[in-house]
Coordinates of all heavy atoms in Angstrom, one line a residue:
S1 N -39.5 25.5 15.7 CA -40.8 24.9 16.0 C -41.8 26.0 16.5 O -41.3 27.1 16.9 CB -40.7 23.8 17.0 OG -40.6 24.4 18.3
K2 N -43.1 25.8 16.4 CA -44.0 26.8 16.8 C -43.9 27.1 18.3 O -44.1 28.2 18.7 CB -45.4 26.3 16.5 CG -45.7 26.1 15.0 CD -47.0 25.5 14.7 CE -46.9 24.7 13.4 NZ -47.6 23.5 13.4
A3 N -43.7 26.1 19.1 CA -43.5 26.3 20.6 C -42.3 27.2 20.8 O -42.4 28.1 21.7 CB -43.4 25.0 21.3
R4 N -41.3 27.1 20.1 CA -40.1 27.9 20.2 C -40.4 29.4 19.9 O -40.0 30.3 20.5 CB -38.9 27.4 19.3 CG -37.7 28.2 19.5 CD -36.5 27.6 18.8 NE -35.3 28.4 19.1 CZ -34.8 29.2 18.2 NH1 -35.3 29.3 17.0 NH2 -33.7 29.9 18.4
L5 N -41.2 29.6 18.8 CA -41.7 30.9 18.4 C -42.4 31.6 19.6 O -42.2 32.7 19.9 CB -42.5 30.9 17.2 CG -43.1 32.2 16.7 CD1 -42.0 33.2 16.4 CD2 -44.0 32.0 15.6
T6 N -43.3 30.8 20.3 CA -44.0 31.4 21.4 C -43.0 31.8 22.5 O -43.2 32.9 23.1 CB -45.0 30.3 22.0 OG1 -45.9 29.9 20.9 CG2 -45.8 30.8 23.2
R7 N -42.0 31.0 22.8 CA -41.0 31.4 23.8 C -40.2 32.7 23.4 O -40.0 33.6 24.2 CB -40.1 30.3 24.1 CG -40.7 29.1 24.9 CD -39.6 28.1 25.4 NE -38.8 27.6 24.3 CZ -39.1 26.5 23.6 NH1 -40.2 25.8 23.8 NH2 -38.3 26.1 22.6
V8 N -39.8 32.7 22.1 CA -39.1 33.9 21.7 C -40.0 35.1 21.7 O -39.5 36.2 22.1 CB -38.5 33.6 20.2 CG1 -38.0 34.9 19.6 CG2 -37.5 32.5 20.2
L9 N -41.2 35.0 21.3 CA -42.1 36.2 21.4 C -42.2 36.7 22.9 O -42.2 37.9 23.1 CB -43.5 35.8 20.9 CG -43.7 35.8 19.4 CD1 -45.0 35.2 19.1 CD2 -43.5 37.1 18.8
A10 N -42.3 35.8 23.8 CA -42.4 36.1 25.2 C -41.1 36.8 25.7 O -41.2 37.7 26.5 CB -42.8 34.9 26.1
M11 N -40.0 36.3 25.3 CA -38.7 36.9 25.7 C -38.4 38.2 25.1 O -37.9 39.1 25.8 CB -37.6 35.9 25.3 CG -37.5 34.6 26.1 SD -36.2 33.5 25.6 CE -35.3 34.2 24.3
R12 N -38.8 38.4 23.8 CA -38.4 39.6 23.1 C -39.5 40.7 23.0 O -39.2 41.8 22.5 CB -37.9 39.3 21.7 CG -36.6 38.4 21.8 CD -36.1 38.2 20.4 NE -34.9 37.3 20.5 CZ -34.2 37.1 19.5 NH1 -34.5 37.5 18.3 NH2 -33.1 36.3 19.6
T13 N -40.7 40.4 23.3 CA -41.8 41.3 23.1 C -42.7 41.3 24.3 O -42.5 40.6 25.3 CB -42.6 41.0 21.8 OG1 -43.4 39.8 22.1 CG2 -41.8 40.8 20.6
S14 N -43.7 42.1 24.3 CA -44.7 42.1 25.3 C -45.9 41.2 25.0 O -46.9 41.2 25.7 CB -45.2 43.6 25.6 OG -45.8 44.1 24.5
I15 N -45.8 40.5 23.9 CA -46.9 39.6 23.5 C -46.9 38.4 24.5 O -45.9 37.8 24.9 CB -46.6 39.0 22.1 CG1 -46.8 40.1 21.1 CG2 -47.6 37.9 21.8 CD1 -46.4 39.7 19.7
E16 N -48.2 38.1 24.9 CA -48.4 36.9 25.8 C -49.2 35.9 25.0 O -50.4 35.8 25.0 CB -49.2 37.4 27.0 CG -48.4 38.3 27.9 CD -49.1 38.8 29.1 OE1 -50.2 38.2 29.4 OE2 -48.7 39.7 29.8
A17 N -48.4 35.2 24.2 CA -49.1 34.2 23.2 C -49.5 33.0 23.9 O -48.8 32.5 24.8 CB -48.1 33.9 22.1
A18 N -50.6 32.4 23.5 CA -51.0 31.1 24.0 C -50.3 30.0 23.2 O -49.5 30.3 22.3 CB -52.5 30.9 23.7
E19 N -50.5 28.8 23.6 CA -49.8 27.7 22.9 C -50.3 27.7 21.5 O -51.4 28.0 21.2 CB -50.3 26.3 23.6 CG -49.6 26.1 24.9 CD -48.1 26.0 24.8 OE1 -47.6 25.3 23.9 OE2 -47.4 26.7 25.6
P20 N -49.4 27.4 20.5 CA -49.8 27.5 19.1 C -50.8 26.4 18.8 O -50.7 25.3 19.3 CB -48.4 27.2 18.4 CG -47.5 26.8 19.4 CD -48.0 27.1 20.8
V21 N -51.7 26.7 17.9 CA -52.6 25.7 17.4 C -52.6 25.8 15.8 O -52.4 26.9 15.3 CB -54.1 26.0 17.9 CG1 -54.1 25.8 19.4 CG2 -54.6 27.4 17.5
P22 N -52.9 24.7 15.2 CA -52.9 24.7 13.7 C -54.2 25.5 13.2 O -55.2 25.4 13.9 CB -53.0 23.3 13.3 CG -53.2 22.5 14.5 CD -53.0 23.4 15.7
V23 N -54.0 26.3 12.2 CA -55.1 27.1 11.6 C -55.3 26.7 10.2 O -54.3 26.7 9.4 CB -54.8 28.6 11.8 CG1 -55.9 29.4 11.1 CG2 -54.7 28.9 13.2
D24 N -56.5 26.5 9.8 CA -56.8 26.2 8.3 C -57.3 27.6 7.8 O -58.5 28.0 8.0 CB -57.9 25.2 8.2 CG -58.3 24.9 6.8 OD1 -57.9 25.6 5.9 OD2 -59.1 23.9 6.6
I25 N -56.5 28.2 7.0 CA -56.8 29.6 6.6 C -58.0 29.6 5.6 O -58.6 30.6 5.5 CB -55.6 30.3 5.9 CG1 -55.1 29.5 4.7 CG2 -54.5 30.6 6.9 CD1 -54.2 30.3 3.9
A26 N -58.3 28.5 5.0 CA -59.4 28.4 4.1 C -60.8 28.2 4.8 O -61.8 28.6 4.3 CB -59.3 27.3 3.1
N27 N -60.8 27.8 6.1 CA -62.0 27.4 6.7 C -62.2 28.0 8.2 O -63.3 28.3 8.6 CB -62.2 25.9 6.8 CG -62.3 25.3 5.5 OD1 -63.1 25.7 4.7 ND2 -61.4 24.4 5.2
D28 N -61.1 28.2 8.9 CA -61.2 28.7 10.3 C -61.5 30.2 10.3 O -61.2 30.9 9.4 CB -59.9 28.4 11.1 CG -59.7 26.9 11.3 OD1 -60.6 26.2 11.2 OD2 -58.5 26.6 11.6
D29 N -62.1 30.6 11.5 CA -62.4 32.0 11.7 C -61.1 32.7 12.1 O -60.7 32.6 13.2 CB -63.5 32.2 12.8 CG -63.9 33.6 13.0 OD1 -63.4 34.5 12.4 OD2 -64.7 33.8 13.9
L30 N -60.5 33.4 11.1 CA -59.2 34.0 11.3 C -59.2 35.1 12.3 O -58.2 35.5 13.0 CB -58.6 34.5 10.0 CG -58.4 33.4 8.9 CD1 -57.8 34.0 7.7 CD2 -57.5 32.2 9.5
A31 N -60.4 35.7 12.5 CA -60.5 36.9 13.4 C -60.2 36.5 14.9 O -59.9 37.3 15.7 CB -61.9 37.5 13.4
L32 N -60.2 35.2 15.2 CA -59.9 34.7 16.5 C -58.4 34.7 16.8 O -58.0 34.5 17.9 CB -60.4 33.3 16.7 CG -61.9 33.1 16.6 CD1 -62.3 31.6 16.7 CD2 -62.7 33.9 17.6
F33 N -57.6 34.9 15.8 CA -56.1 34.9 15.9 C -55.5 36.2 15.5 O -55.4 36.5 14.3 CB -55.6 33.7 15.0 CG -56.2 32.4 15.2 CD1 -57.3 32.0 14.5 CD2 -55.8 31.6 16.3 CE1 -57.9 30.8 14.7 CE2 -56.4 30.4 16.5 CZ -57.5 30.0 15.7
P34 N -55.0 37.0 16.5 CA -54.4 38.2 16.2 C -53.0 38.1 15.4 O -52.6 39.0 14.7 CB -54.2 38.9 17.5 CG -54.2 37.8 18.5 CD -55.0 36.7 17.9
L35 N -52.4 37.0 15.6 CA -51.1 36.7 14.9 C -51.0 35.3 14.4 O -51.4 34.4 15.1 CB -49.9 36.9 15.9 CG -48.5 36.5 15.4 CD1 -48.1 37.4 14.3 CD2 -47.5 36.5 16.6
L36 N -50.7 35.2 13.1 CA -50.5 33.9 12.5 C -49.1 33.7 12.1 O -48.5 34.6 11.5 CB -51.4 33.8 11.2 CG -52.9 33.8 11.4 CD1 -53.6 33.8 10.1 CD2 -53.4 32.7 12.3
Y37 N -48.6 32.5 12.3 CA -47.2 32.1 11.8 C -47.5 31.2 10.6 O -48.2 30.3 10.7 CB -46.5 31.3 12.9 CG -45.3 30.6 12.4 CD1 -44.1 31.3 12.2 CD2 -45.3 29.3 12.3 CE1 -43.0 30.7 11.7 CE2 -44.1 28.6 11.8 CZ -43.0 29.3 11.5 OH -41.9 28.7 11.1
W38 N -46.8 31.6 9.5 CA -47.1 30.9 8.2 C -45.8 30.5 7.6 O -45.1 31.3 7.0 CB -47.8 31.9 7.3 CG -48.4 31.3 6.1 CD1 -47.9 30.2 5.4 CD2 -49.5 31.8 5.4 NE1 -48.7 30.0 4.3 CE2 -49.7 30.9 4.2 CE3 -50.4 32.8 5.5 CZ2 -50.7 31.1 3.3 CZ3 -51.4 33.0 4.6 CH2 -51.6 32.2 3.5
P39 N -45.4 29.2 7.8 CA -44.2 28.7 7.1 C -44.5 28.6 5.6 O -45.5 28.1 5.2 CB -43.9 27.4 7.7 CG -45.2 27.0 8.3 CD -46.0 28.2 8.6
V40 N -43.5 29.1 4.8 CA -43.7 29.1 3.3 C -42.6 28.4 2.6 O -41.6 29.0 2.3 CB -43.8 30.6 2.8 CG1 -44.1 30.6 1.3 CG2 -44.8 31.4 3.5
P41 N -42.7 27.1 2.4 CA -41.7 26.4 1.7 C -41.7 26.7 0.2 O -42.7 27.2 -0.3 CB -42.1 24.9 1.9 CG -43.6 24.9 2.1 CD -43.8 26.2 2.8
P42 N -40.6 26.5 -0.5 CA -40.6 26.9 -1.9 C -41.7 26.2 -2.8 O -42.1 26.8 -3.8 CB -39.2 26.4 -2.4 CG -38.4 26.3 -1.2 CD -39.4 26.0 0.0
D43 N -42.2 25.0 -2.3 CA -43.2 24.3 -3.1 C -44.6 24.6 -2.5 O -45.5 23.8 -2.7 CB -42.9 22.8 -3.2 CG -42.8 22.2 -1.8 OD1 -42.7 22.9 -0.8 OD2 -42.8 21.0 -1.7
H44 N -44.8 25.7 -1.9 CA -46.1 26.0 -1.3 C -47.2 26.1 -2.4 O -47.0 26.7 -3.4 CB -46.0 27.4 -0.6 CG -47.2 27.7 0.3 ND1 -48.4 28.2 -0.3 CD2 -47.4 27.5 1.6 CE1 -49.3 28.3 0.7 NE2 -48.7 28.0 1.8
P45 N -48.3 25.4 -2.2 CA -49.3 25.4 -3.2 C -50.0 26.8 -3.4 O -50.0 27.6 -2.5 CB -50.4 24.4 -2.7 CG -50.2 24.4 -1.2 CD -48.7 24.7 -1.0
E46 N -50.5 27.0 -4.6 CA -51.2 28.2 -4.8 C -52.5 28.3 -4.0 O -53.1 27.2 -3.7 CB -51.7 28.2 -6.3 CG -50.5 28.4 -7.3 CD -49.9 29.8 -7.2 OE1 -50.6 30.8 -7.1 OE2 -48.7 29.9 -7.4
L47 N -52.9 29.5 -3.6 CA -54.1 29.6 -2.8 C -55.3 29.9 -3.7 O -55.1 30.6 -4.7 CB -53.9 30.8 -1.8 CG -52.8 30.7 -0.8 CD1 -52.7 32.0 0.0 CD2 -53.0 29.5 0.1
S48 N -56.4 29.5 -3.3 CA -57.6 29.7 -4.1 C -58.0 31.2 -4.0 O -57.6 31.9 -3.0 CB -58.8 28.9 -3.7 OG -59.3 29.4 -2.4
P49 N -58.7 31.8 -5.0 CA -59.1 33.2 -4.9 C -59.9 33.5 -3.6 O -59.8 34.5 -3.0 CB -59.9 33.4 -6.1 CG -59.4 32.4 -7.1 CD -59.0 31.2 -6.3
T50 N -60.8 32.5 -3.2 CA -61.5 32.7 -2.0 C -60.6 32.8 -0.8 O -60.8 33.6 0.1 CB -62.6 31.6 -1.8 OG1 -63.4 31.5 -3.0 CG2 -63.4 31.7 -0.6
T51 N -59.6 31.9 -0.7 CA -58.7 32.0 0.4 C -57.9 33.3 0.4 O -57.7 33.8 1.5 CB -57.8 30.7 0.4 OG1 -58.6 29.5 0.4 CG2 -56.8 30.7 1.6
I52 N -57.5 33.7 -0.7 CA -56.8 35.0 -0.8 C -57.6 36.1 -0.3 O -57.2 37.0 0.5 CB -56.3 35.2 -2.2 CG1 -55.2 34.2 -2.6 CG2 -55.8 36.7 -2.4 CD1 -54.8 34.3 -4.1
Q53 N -58.9 36.1 -0.6 CA -59.8 37.2 -0.1 C -59.9 37.1 1.4 O -60.0 38.1 2.1 CB -61.2 37.0 -0.8 CG -61.2 37.4 -2.2 CD -62.5 37.2 -2.9 OE1 -63.4 36.5 -2.4 NE2 -62.7 37.8 -4.1
R54 N -60.0 35.9 1.9 CA -60.1 35.7 3.4 C -58.8 36.3 4.1 O -58.9 37.0 5.1 CB -60.3 34.2 3.7 CG -61.6 33.7 3.4 CD -61.7 32.2 3.7 NE -61.2 31.8 5.0 CZ -61.9 31.8 6.1 NH1 -63.1 32.2 6.1 NH2 -61.3 31.4 7.2
V55 N -57.7 36.0 3.5 CA -56.4 36.5 4.1 C -56.4 38.0 4.0 O -56.0 38.7 4.9 CB -55.2 35.8 3.4 CG1 -53.9 36.5 3.8 CG2 -55.2 34.3 3.7
E56 N -56.7 38.6 2.8 CA -56.8 40.0 2.7 C -57.7 40.7 3.7 O -57.4 41.7 4.2 CB -57.1 40.4 1.2 CG -56.0 40.1 0.2 CD -56.5 40.3 -1.2 OE1 -57.7 40.5 -1.5 OE2 -55.6 40.4 -2.0
A57 N -58.9 40.1 3.9 CA -59.8 40.6 4.9 C -59.3 40.6 6.3 O -59.4 41.5 7.0 CB -61.2 39.9 4.8
Y58 N -58.6 39.5 6.6 CA -58.0 39.3 7.9 C -56.9 40.4 8.1 O -56.9 41.1 9.2 CB -57.3 37.9 8.0 CG -56.4 37.7 9.1 CD1 -56.9 37.5 10.4 CD2 -55.0 37.7 9.0 CE1 -56.0 37.3 11.5 CE2 -54.2 37.5 10.0 CZ -54.7 37.3 11.3 OH -53.8 37.1 12.3
L59 N -56.1 40.6 7.1 CA -55.1 41.7 7.3 C -55.7 43.1 7.3 O -55.2 43.9 8.1 CB -54.1 41.6 6.1 CG -53.2 40.3 6.1 CD1 -52.4 40.2 4.8 CD2 -52.2 40.3 7.3
G60 N -56.7 43.3 6.5 CA -57.4 44.6 6.5 C -58.1 44.9 7.9 O -58.3 46.1 8.2
Q61 N -58.4 43.9 8.6 CA -59.1 44.1 9.9 C -58.1 44.1 11.1 O -58.4 44.0 12.2 CB -60.1 43.0 10.2 CG -61.3 43.0 9.2 CD -62.1 41.8 9.2 OE1 -61.9 40.8 9.9 NE2 -63.1 41.8 8.3
G62 N -56.8 44.2 10.7 CA -55.8 44.3 11.8 C -55.0 43.1 12.1 O -54.2 43.1 13.0
G63 N -55.3 41.9 11.5 CA -54.6 40.7 11.7 C -53.1 40.8 11.2 O -52.8 41.7 10.4
M64 N -52.2 40.0 11.8 CA -50.8 40.1 11.4 C -50.4 38.7 11.1 O -50.7 37.7 11.8 CB -50.0 40.6 12.6 CG -48.6 40.8 12.3 SD -47.5 41.5 13.6 CE -48.6 42.3 14.7
I65 N -49.5 38.6 10.0 CA -49.0 37.3 9.6 C -47.5 37.4 9.6 O -46.9 38.3 9.0 CB -49.5 36.8 8.3 CG1 -51.0 36.8 8.2 CG2 -48.9 35.5 7.9 CD1 -51.6 36.4 6.9
L66 N -46.8 36.4 10.3 CA -45.4 36.3 10.2 C -45.1 35.2 9.2 O -45.3 34.0 9.4 CB -44.8 35.9 11.6 CG -43.3 35.5 11.6 CD1 -42.4 36.7 11.2 CD2 -42.9 35.0 12.9
F67 N -44.6 35.6 8.0 CA -44.3 34.6 7.0 C -42.8 34.2 7.2 O -41.9 35.0 7.3 CB -44.4 35.3 5.6 CG -45.8 35.6 5.2 CD1 -46.3 36.9 5.3 CD2 -46.6 34.6 4.7 CE1 -47.6 37.2 5.0 CE2 -47.9 34.9 4.3 CZ -48.4 36.2 4.5
D68 N -42.6 32.9 7.2 CA -41.3 32.3 7.4 C -40.9 31.5 6.1 O -41.4 30.4 5.9 CB -41.3 31.3 8.6 CG -40.0 30.7 8.9 OD1 -39.0 31.0 8.2 OD2 -39.9 29.9 9.9
T69 N -40.1 32.2 5.3 CA -39.7 31.6 4.1 C -38.6 30.5 4.3 O -38.2 29.9 3.3 CB -39.2 32.6 3.1 OG1 -38.1 33.4 3.6 CG2 -40.4 33.5 2.7
R70 N -38.0 30.4 5.5 CA -37.1 29.4 5.9 C -35.8 29.4 5.0 O -35.3 28.3 4.7 CB -37.7 28.0 5.9 CG -38.8 28.0 6.9 CD -39.4 26.6 6.9 NE -40.4 26.5 7.9 CZ -41.1 25.4 8.3 NH1 -40.8 24.3 7.7 NH2 -42.0 25.5 9.2
D71 N -35.4 30.6 4.5 CA -34.3 30.6 3.6 C -33.2 31.5 4.0 O -32.3 31.8 3.3 CB -34.7 31.0 2.2 CG -35.4 32.4 2.1 OD1 -35.5 33.0 3.2 OD2 -35.7 32.9 1.1
Q72 N -33.2 31.8 5.3 CA -32.1 32.7 5.8 C -30.8 31.9 5.7 O -30.6 30.8 6.1 CB -32.3 33.0 7.3 CG -31.2 33.8 7.9 CD -31.5 34.2 9.3 OE1 -32.5 33.8 9.9 NE2 -30.6 34.9 9.9
G73 N -29.8 32.6 5.1 CA -28.5 32.0 5.0 C -28.4 30.9 3.9 O -27.4 30.2 3.8
S74 N -29.4 30.9 3.0 CA -29.4 29.8 2.0 C -28.4 30.1 0.9 O -28.0 29.2 0.2 CB -30.8 29.7 1.4 OG -31.2 30.8 0.7
G75 N -28.0 31.4 0.8 CA -27.1 31.8 -0.3 C -27.7 31.8 -1.7 O -27.0 32.1 -2.6
E76 N -29.0 31.6 -1.8 CA -29.6 31.6 -3.1 C -30.0 33.0 -3.6 O -30.2 33.2 -4.8 CB -30.9 30.8 -3.0 CG -30.7 29.3 -2.7 CD -31.9 28.5 -2.7 OE1 -32.9 28.9 -3.4 OE2 -31.9 27.4 -2.1
G77 N -30.0 34.0 -2.7 CA -30.2 35.3 -3.1 C -31.7 35.7 -3.4 O -32.0 36.8 -3.8
F78 N -32.6 34.8 -3.1 CA -34.0 35.1 -3.2 C -34.8 34.2 -2.3 O -34.3 33.2 -1.8 CB -34.5 34.9 -4.7 CG -34.4 33.5 -5.2 CD1 -35.5 32.7 -5.0 CD2 -33.3 33.0 -5.7 CE1 -35.5 31.4 -5.5 CE2 -33.2 31.7 -6.2 CZ -34.3 30.9 -6.0
S79 N -36.0 34.7 -2.0 CA -36.9 33.9 -1.2 C -38.1 33.4 -2.0 O -38.3 33.9 -3.1 CB -37.4 34.7 0.0 OG -38.3 35.7 -0.5
P80 N -38.9 32.4 -1.5 CA -40.0 32.0 -2.3 C -41.0 33.1 -2.6 O -41.5 33.2 -3.7 CB -40.7 31.0 -1.3 CG -39.6 30.5 -0.5 CD -38.7 31.7 -0.3
G81 N -41.2 34.1 -1.7 CA -42.0 35.2 -1.9 C -41.4 36.1 -3.0 O -42.2 36.6 -3.9
A82 N -40.1 36.3 -3.0 CA -39.5 37.2 -4.0 C -39.6 36.6 -5.4 O -39.8 37.2 -6.4 CB -38.1 37.5 -3.6
S83 N -39.4 35.3 -5.4 CA -39.4 34.6 -6.7 C -40.8 34.6 -7.3 O -41.0 34.8 -8.5 CB -38.9 33.2 -6.7 OG -39.7 32.4 -5.8
A84 N -41.9 34.5 -6.4 CA -43.3 34.6 -6.9 C -43.6 36.0 -7.4 O -44.3 36.2 -8.4 CB -44.2 34.2 -5.8
A85 N -43.1 37.0 -6.7 CA -43.4 38.4 -7.0 C -42.7 38.7 -8.4 O -43.3 39.5 -9.2 CB -42.9 39.3 -5.9
S86 N -41.5 38.2 -8.6 CA -40.8 38.6 -9.8 C -41.4 37.9 -11.0 O -41.2 38.3 -12.2 CB -39.3 38.2 -9.7 OG -39.2 36.8 -9.6
S87 N -42.2 36.8 -10.8 CA -42.8 36.1 -12.0 C -44.1 36.6 -12.3 O -44.7 36.2 -13.3 CB -42.8 34.6 -11.7 OG -43.7 34.4 -10.6
S88 N -44.7 37.6 -11.6 CA -46.0 38.1 -11.9 C -46.0 39.3 -12.7 O -45.0 39.9 -13.1 CB -46.8 38.4 -10.6 OG -46.1 38.9 -9.6

């Protein structure tokens, strides 16, 4: 859960994270969030070109995203991100 991630960050790093809040990457001001947690299920929808540009700008300005493909120990040998990269 997102609250658990906040606790783990506090225990293992010097990050003092606030309570997690949902973020709409297509509409919210991403500059307000120095770290985003992004769960990526295998059926994650494609992002619009505008949204991709917003994410790239966010990363270019020093933002950080923790992508959670939720496939650790799945035994499948690939992640949603790896399968998308191999198909391009």
Side-chain angles (χ1 to χ4, degrees):
S1 79
K2 295 174 211 141
R4 183 170 181 258
L5 176 61
T6 302
R7 287 191 305 273
V8 170
L9 283 171
M11 289 178 358
R12 296 185 180 186
T13 71
S14 61
I15 293 175
E16 296 179 14
E19 287 298 313
V21 295
V23 175
D24 179 350
I25 61 167
N27 297 304
D28 290 342
D29 184 359
L30 301 180
L32 300 174
F33 305 96
L35 172 66
L36 295 176
Y37 167 75
W38 191 331
V40 184
D43 59 346
H44 190 278
E46 291 288 324
L47 300 176
S48 73
T50 303
T51 301
I52 292 171
Q53 289 175 345
R54 288 174 48 84
V55 171
E56 288 175 345
Y58 168 77
L59 293 170
Q61 296 167 358
M64 185 182 333
I65 302 175
L66 170 63
F67 292 99
D68 182 359
T69 58
R70 299 181 176 185
D71 60 356
Q72 180 179 358
S74 67
E76 295 180 26
F78 65 93
S79 68
S83 62
S86 64
S87 64
S88 38

